[in-house]
Amino acid sequence: MKFVRQSIPFLSLLVALSLAPFRKAEAHSFEAGDGMFLLDGKPFVVKAAEVHYPRIPRPYWEQRIRMCKALGMNTLCIYIFWNAHEQEEGVFDFTGNNDIRAFVKLAQKEGMYVILRPGPYVCAEWEMGGLPWWLLKKKDISLREQDPYFMERLELFEAKVGEQLSDLTIEKGGPIIMVQVENEYGSYGEDKEYVSAVRDIIRGSGFDGVQLFQCDWSSNFTKNALDDLLWTMNFGTGANVDNEFKRLKELRPDSPLMCSEFWSGWFDKWGGRHETRGAEEMVSGIRDMLDRGISFSLYMTHGGTNWGHWAGANSPGFAPDVTSYDYDAPINEAGQTTDKYWELRRMMAEYTDGKLPPVPKEFPVISIPKIEFNEVAPLYDNLGEGIESVDTKTFEELGQGWGCLLYRTTVPQDVPSESVLTVTEAHDYAQVFLNQRFIGKIDRINHETSVVLPQLKEGDVLDIYVEALGRINFGSAIKDFKGITEKVELTYTLPSQTTVTMNLKGWAIFPLPDDYQRQRDMAYVPLTEENKGVRGNYRATFTLGKVGDTFLNLETWGKGQVYVNGHAIGRFWQVGPQQTLYMPGCWLRKGENEIIVTDVLGPTEAAVEGLTKPIIDKLQLSAPQTHRLEGQTLDLSGETPVQEGSLEAGNGWQEVRFASNATGRYVCIEALNSHWDREYCCIAELYLLDADGQRLSREPWQVAYADDEDVTSGNKNADKLFDLQESTYWSTNKGVPYPHAVVIDLGQDKTLSGFQILPRMEQGAPESIKDYRIYVSSEPFKM
Ligand code: GLA
């Protein structure tokens, strides 16, 4: 046999070897051509499925990728979650479920291209938008800005990402066709220098030959748009596609068009209704784009799960996300098909040459009979060592990322009357105990700040048990410290009517981190009539003859976290809408399994069953979600509007300047009717302008009143007016007569010069308000 080598002259061999990694057969090209993307020089429409590797157990990656492929998708779009890879400063992990290289290679093996979105910030309803909590140990850090420490850490991280993936870009023979720079920066700020610096860092980490892009909304992308990057738009099901690309087409008539996040559904928050979006609207939106040759990424095609403490929280305000990231996506949380899946597949088949690949098999589902817990480790017997401190400290100051802290102090003197204990601020869910007796809760979601204490004696023990929920992942409040962020005060009135406020000092702080080993090592005792229902950890073992996916029903439990066989399965909370936690079969064992439930409230029954179907749409609220008390009606008689007029019909922002400035804390928007005489009216977003015509911060805003809110067909509460999400909106109910009114409490008096308003994103801005009046007052309006 003749060796090939012998037939090649030495010099040619050297050339061949040095070119080996870039051989023609492997290297491809992907670029933004004239009005379209070009793959190896030929027109290519990106049909991307957004899926997130840390939200899917690694043994299921392949099945999920094939599910996407069977939808006719040709690309996977993935974020990289910095805080999952660098949980401790300087300690990087790209193994197991964090093995992005393996994920990207698997995608390639399955014939899929990859769009990489390495942040550093990703939003994604993920703890702190993907930023590591330990950045907040530097208290004065500026996140997503050119803060030297932030930039230094992000450069180090992106270099690690580069080590993992930069040789897998398309021109080097890999599947990565595009890489994103930052994420929707327009909804955070205006800082081209920062975005340019991130771009340079990403290029510098090895992504220098691949197409870079930035994604934003049509209403704000020009704020940070860099000349040398491709611009893509994000918008959701129902949006008016032409309108979304209008501005981009004006500025760059030759740019290929891409919706880099087409929202298939939406995320759920604790205490809100389960979000859904219609299959028909989703499918027709994608059809609309395909008909015009517009590329898209369907966010999410499969949402997956926010395991453990990874769920984030939305803002303005504080709206923590649930554990399930089902997202009402075509592939549900457990990797199963849905009606939406089949409808989408049918439509996508029309836009695919040849046949779609077969739909892969789903994983088996099992039920697990009731597991009765027989061991408990009560909170009060497991506090461990406290840390002495004059002042309260945050989680970050104590070097703790997640879990709970219990703050203890003694009352310095007798307080013979009732007093008010004010915590500034409790992040996120605090419970106050006096001599270990529960007094009340302070829930950040409801803007609660205080509880009333009974008479106190010197030496009484005061405990504040604070549970951290996800760190805010959206908007300007992402610098979200946990625990007690400032101080605790006790206020009471003396018989002389003088008010006394004491700043409480001298604390013992007990760390209760979210750490499986610690949960396991607690002192468990038998569960008895005496200790049943206490706050603390509950443990049980259960035996399985066969494994499979299941949904653990936590309906009888209070609030906390679940661990099975050492896997942090996620948070639960009786308020819902999520009542079951998705338990993948790949983390269960044939034979004995262990389950630990940490319950910060205590269960009514310490038992868990494995169901074959999830319950993610069941609210158990003690108070309604709406902003109008029983029998309450706003009375505007005697009030003079600061402005009245008519809004225009159609999509997009409108601005109105008041004839003269007005000052007040309460702002009422009254809708007198709607365009086209609709039976209900909606507003997507509202800003108020200060004396200089600048947008006021909406952080402190609260809805003081809303005459009507549609909470049956979705979460269309009045706070959607200032949730910074252009695709969600406040809506009244069909058939409830005009006028409609919302009163916003700005927190303090402000001088106002006008407002900006955005109707719904859907074609023609349906249900938009026509005639309106605005009232401003320093005092609450009469009810
Ligand atoms: C934006 C963000 C995503 C995600 C969606 C909402 O588009 O870029 O990360 O937060 O909103 O699900």
Side-chain angles (χ1 to χ4, degrees):
M1 196 180 151
K2 219 167 111 188
F3 287 107
V4 178
R5 189 159 30 122
Q6 288 173 332
S7 66
I8 305 176
F10 183 65
L11 199 62
S12 332
L13 176 69
L14 261 190
V15 172
L17 279 179
S18 64
L19 287 179
F22 306 103
R23 269 204 323 252
K24 258 218 153 97
E26 288 181 2
H28 293 275
S29 70
F30 179 88
E31 62 198 304
D34 241 7
M36 63 186 71
F37 289 112
L38 298 174
L39 181 66
D40 290 331
K42 294 201 193 72
F44 182 76
V45 176
V46 180
K47 301 173 200 166
E50 179 99 20
V51 288
H52 297 150
Y53 57 95
R55 286 182 155 131
I56 308 167
R58 181 166 176 170
Y60 292 176
W61 283 356
E62 187 176 80
Q63 187 260 2
R64 303 300 199 261
I65 293 175
R66 289 185 178 169
M67 290 284 287
C68 296
K69 208 175 153 186
L71 275 173
M73 303 292 190
N74 54 26
T75 304
L76 295 171
C77 187
I78 60 171
Y79 275 132
I80 295 181
F81 298 80
W82 178 4
N83 56 8
H85 295 285
E86 194 180 354
Q87 301 201 20
E88 245 180 79
E89 182 169 4
V91 183
F92 298 93
D93 175 22
F94 290 98
T95 64
N97 237 90
N98 277 343
D99 192 343
I100 37 171
R101 187 171 177 84
F103 186 90
V104 170
K105 290 194 117 181
L106 187 61
Q108 186 172 28
K109 188 182 126 237
E110 294 297 328
M112 301 286 266
Y113 296 102
V114 172
I115 297 176
L116 211 63
R117 309 206 289 159
Y121 163 85
V122 298
C123 193
E125 291 69 72
W126 188 262
E127 149 97 3
M128 214 170 148
L131 303 178
W133 71 268
W134 46 257
L135 291 169
L136 301 181
K137 286 192 197 168
K138 181 174 182 284
K139 213 170 179 175
D140 62 351
I141 192 171
S142 299
L143 301 168
R144 302 180 76 193
E145 282 178 38
Q146 293 214 63
D147 175 292
Y149 174 61
F150 181 71
M151 295 309 286
E152 173 197 316
R153 294 312 315 178
L154 107 77
E155 185 161 8
L156 285 169
F157 176 67
E158 298 298 353
K160 294 285 172 194
V161 173
E163 281 171 25
Q164 293 291 319
L165 298 176
S166 66
D167 64 331
L168 295 180
T169 51
I170 186 124
E171 79 289 359
K172 297 175 190 161
I176 301 170
I177 52 174
M178 296 210 263
V179 179
Q180 185 180 300
V181 174
E182 247 284 347
N183 190 77
E184 289 190 342
Y185 198 74
S187 58
Y188 186 72
E190 192 161 353
D191 190 346
K192 280 194 183 172
E193 280 178 20
Y194 163 73
V195 182
S196 308
V198 174
R199 173 203 58 202
D200 294 345
I201 286 173
I202 288 176
R203 271 198 190 132
S205 51
F207 300 103
D208 46 358
V210 65
Q211 177 72 54
L212 298 187
F213 73 106
Q214 58 191 138
C215 78
D216 260 301
W217 303 340
S218 57
S219 59
N220 63 18
F221 75 96
T222 51
K223 290 209 279 186
N224 300 290
L226 302 186
D227 289 344
D228 58 346
L229 297 189
L230 177 82
W231 306 333
T232 63
M233 300 295 123
N234 293 350
F235 52 86
T237 282
N240 175 347
V241 173
D242 284 331
N243 205 58
E244 293 300 324
F245 288 109
K246 199 166 145 235
R247 186 87 183 104
L248 172 62
K249 276 180 163 168
E250 284 164 11
L251 296 175
R252 283 190 173 172
D254 298 331
S255 174
L257 303 183
M258 175 159 187
C259 172
S260 37
E261 285 184 29
F262 184 67
W263 303 310
S264 61
W266 203 243
F267 50 90
D268 287 344
K269 60 173 184 179
W270 292 114
R273 272 184 58 113
H274 172 52
E275 296 275 0
T276 56
R277 298 288 185 273
E280 215 181 294
E281 287 98 307
M282 183 197 81
V283 170
S284 78
I286 296 176
R287 185 190 282 283
D288 251 20
M289 290 192 269
L290 289 175
D291 282 343
R292 295 165 165 82
I294 298 175
S295 291
F296 69 87
S297 175
L298 184 63
Y299 187 109
M300 300 295 299
T301 300
H302 167 58
T305 310
N306 299 312
W307 312 110
H309 48 236
W310 290 117
N314 208 17
S315 175
F318 180 69
D321 301 311
V322 303
T323 299
S324 169
Y325 202 57
D326 178 87
Y327 211 82
D328 196 32
I331 306 166
N332 73 12
E333 185 181 5
Q336 299 161 334
T337 59
T338 60
D339 292 347
K340 230 181 203 178
Y341 184 92
W342 294 111
E343 273 188 51
L344 178 60
R345 187 172 137 97
R346 264 192 297 279
M347 184 277 290
M348 291 283 283
E350 295 172 33
Y351 294 83
T352 309
D353 297 331
K355 270 175 108 179
L356 290 181
V359 177
K361 278 227 313 260
E362 291 168 4
F363 288 99
V365 175
I366 58 165
S367 61
I368 303 177
K370 213 181 218 185
I371 305 160
E372 309 265 5
F373 286 67
N374 48 18
E375 284 181 297
V376 63
L379 167 73
Y380 269 117
D381 299 339
N382 285 277
L383 289 179
E385 286 275 304
I387 298 162
E388 303 292 324
S389 171
V390 175
D391 294 302
T392 56
K393 288 201 150 54
T394 62
F395 277 58
E396 292 76 11
E397 283 168 326
L398 296 172
Q400 181 178 325
W402 304 281
C404 300
L405 286 178
L406 188 137
Y407 298 81
R408 171 170 291 174
T409 190
T410 46
V411 175
Q413 63 186 68
D414 287 359
V415 181
S417 62
E418 277 191 344
S419 57
V420 176
L421 184 82
T422 306
V423 182
T424 315
E425 296 180 355
H427 291 184
D428 299 296
Y429 188 88
Q431 299 180 71
V432 177
F433 300 83
L434 186 62
N435 300 322
Q436 299 196 10
R437 188 166 64 83
F438 176 72
I439 299 292
K441 57 137 178 107
I442 299 175
D443 183 352
R444 185 181 178 196
I445 296 177
N446 302 332
H447 308 272
E448 293 164 3
T449 53
S450 59
V451 294
V452 176
L453 297 179
Q455 289 183 4
L456 302 171
K457 288 239 157 327
E458 182 185 337
D460 276 348
V461 178
L462 203 58
D463 287 338
I464 308 174
Y465 177 35
V466 185
E467 183 206 24
L469 292 161
R471 288 187 175 80
I472 290 175
N473 64 268
F474 184 60
S476 54
I478 51 172
K479 203 173 156 186
D480 184 16
F481 296 99
K482 294 302 183 188
I484 296 176
T485 57
E486 241 180 83
K487 59 182 175 188
V488 181
E489 289 167 317
L490 195 66
T491 308
Y492 57 96
T493 310
L494 296 173
S496 62
Q497 294 306 309
T498 315
T499 304
V500 179
T501 297
M502 274 192 282
N503 189 339
L504 296 179
K505 302 270 180 186
W507 297 88
I509 310 174
F510 299 87
L512 299 154
D514 170 23
D515 161 354
Y516 167 68
Q517 208 47 49
R518 193 194 145 95
Q519 310 301 349
R520 198 167 182 213
D521 292 344
M522 286 197 174
Y524 288 87
V525 295
L527 187 64
T528 62
E529 274 304 304
E530 278 71 55
N531 61 20
K532 72 171 192 201
V534 297
R535 293 169 177 81
N537 278 13
Y538 291 73
R539 190 170 66 180
T541 52
F542 57 100
T543 308
L544 293 177
K546 62 169 195 234
V547 297
D549 289 359
T550 191
F551 302 91
L552 300 175
N553 189 0
L554 275 298
E555 268 180 285
T556 61
W557 296 77
K559 182 178 196 314
Q561 297 243 41
V562 176
Y563 309 83
V564 176
N565 298 331
H567 292 275
I569 299 304
R571 295 193 176 99
F572 62 91
W573 192 353
Q574 79 212 141
V575 295
Q578 178 173 15
Q579 301 294 346
T580 56
L581 290 178
Y582 171 51
M583 178 70 235
C586 59
W587 293 342
L588 290 172
R589 300 183 202 122
K590 219 170 145 186
E592 197 175 271
N593 294 268
E594 180 209 51
I595 177 166
I596 292 177
V597 180
T598 300
D599 195 333
V600 302
L601 300 176
T604 50
E605 191 198 351
V608 166
E609 215 175 319
L611 308 182
T612 53
K613 292 257 179 290
I615 307 173
I616 52 172
D617 56 359
K618 184 170 171 188
L619 284 173
Q620 308 192 97
L621 295 173
S622 51
Q625 301 163 276
T626 45
H627 297 91
R628 177 187 190 171
L629 304 178
E630 190 77 32
Q632 208 179 32
T633 307
L634 180 69
D635 176 8
L636 292 170
S637 61
E639 301 284 344
T640 313
V642 296
Q643 187 75 26
E644 56 189 313
S646 303
L647 295 167
E648 279 163 33
N651 293 106
W653 283 94
Q654 297 181 42
E655 182 173 303
V656 174
R657 289 299 180 99
F658 298 158
S660 53
N661 288 359
T663 301
R665 168 174 171 171
Y666 299 91
V667 176
C668 172
I669 304 108
E670 192 185 22
L672 304 180
N673 49 39
S674 70
H675 288 287
W676 315 285
D677 292 328
R678 294 296 158 85
E679 278 191 85
Y680 58 107
C681 66
C682 305
I683 303 177
E685 287 291 299
L686 180 92
Y687 279 95
L688 293 169
L689 304 176
D690 66 14
D692 301 324
Q694 298 300 313
R695 288 176 168 185
L696 274 183
S697 160
R698 304 185 295 181
E699 279 318 312
W701 290 17
Q702 287 188 46
V703 177
Y705 174 87
D707 81 296
D708 196 39
E709 294 161 282
D710 175 4
V711 289
T712 41
S713 76
N715 290 310
K716 297 170 186 170
N717 303 71
D719 46 19
K720 295 284 183 241
L721 282 177
F722 50 89
D723 71 344
L724 197 58
Q725 300 282 0
E726 297 188 354
S727 67
T728 61
Y729 53 89
W730 161 61
S731 173
T732 60
N733 286 285
K734 231 181 193 160
V736 178
Y738 289 87
H740 292 297
V742 174
V743 178
I744 298 168
D745 176 358
L746 309 182
Q748 62 185 97
D749 270 357
K750 294 278 176 193
T751 298
L752 308 171
S753 65
F755 67 95
Q756 292 173 338
I757 194 164
L758 181 74
R760 283 168 60 181
M761 283 183 122
E762 288 87 341
Q763 173 99 43
E767 282 74 45
S768 47
I769 292 167
K770 188 167 170 238
D771 299 317
Y772 71 89
R773 290 192 192 121
I774 304 269
Y775 302 84
V776 177
S777 168
S778 290
E779 299 302 320
F781 292 103
K782 272 190 282 163
M783 301 278 175

